[in-house]
Amino acid sequence: MNNYAIFLRGINVGGINIKMADLKNALQDYPFTKVKTLLASGNVVLQTELSAKDVKDQFEKCLRDAFAYDAWVVVLSAERVAELVEACPYPADDKSTHSYVTLASDTAMLDELFDAGQALDGVEQVRLGPEASAWLAPAGGTLDSPFSKLSSKARFKASTTTRNLRTLIKVRDAAAAL
């Protein structure tokens, strides 16, 4: 069995509301076991014999069928989530900044987003791997930060999602505990 973390894009914001209990119930009809939802921002850990690509396909199908939601998810192995957390050079808890990790299912789109971020003044970011980059935002100003505004553009919607580093740590720990 493989342990995976699934990160949903854009739920419980902008009018797309999915209760985590309803999501967990919908996933019962799919080849997933030990399904656990974390927080209300679309984080799921589970076990399956499927490949990451097949998990992505099945998970997105579930969201579309059960919730009429044009869904996009990023699927990472539990081991990869742990590696990304360890690779992040930014602090999980800091009074002046918040550390974020942008995850992608399409490396080319993350390349484009990262390069565009490099061109912005005052953006501190680092590439963690082909599927992730980390960046800092001022405490209390995340949504107004230049990189947050850039990453929220429709162009990146289908292939990227962002999580606070503290959330990624919780997902790592839950995936490891399956």
Side-chain angles (χ1 to χ4, degrees), residues 9 108-109 112 150-160:
R9 165 74 186 223
M109 291 307 293
E112 182 180 324
L150 172 66
S151 67
S152 67
K153 290 186 176 188
R155 176 160 181 68
F156 304 110
K157 183 177 180 179
S159 59
T160 66

Side-chain angles (χ1 to χ4, degrees), residues 93-113:
D93 291 302
D94 184 285
K95 300 253 187 253
S96 63
T97 61
H98 291 269
S99 301
Y100 290 94
V101 176
T102 297
L103 305 167
S105 58
D106 181 339
T107 300
M109 291 307 293
L110 188 61
D111 291 343
E112 182 180 324
L113 179 60

Side-chain angles (χ1 to χ4, degrees), residues 23-70:
L23 174 59
K24 189 173 179 179
N25 286 336
L27 291 168
Q28 289 178 353
D29 295 332
Y30 290 82
F32 307 133
T33 60
K34 296 187 179 181
V35 175
K36 182 175 180 183
T37 61
L38 302 141
L39 310 169
S41 56
N43 307 291
V44 178
V45 295
L46 55 76
Q47 283 187 336
T48 183
E49 292 184 7
L50 298 177
S51 69
K53 181 191 178 314
D54 290 338
V55 170
K56 179 177 174 42
D57 293 344
Q58 289 292 306
F59 207 99
E60 288 176 348
K61 180 183 182 334
C62 174
L63 290 169
R64 288 180 179 113
D65 292 350
F67 303 103
Y69 164 54
D70 196 12

Side-chain angles (χ1 to χ4, degrees), residues 110-120 125:
L110 188 61
D111 291 343
E112 182 180 324
L113 179 60
F114 189 84
D115 291 346
Q118 293 287 87
L120 296 173
Q125 65 176 348

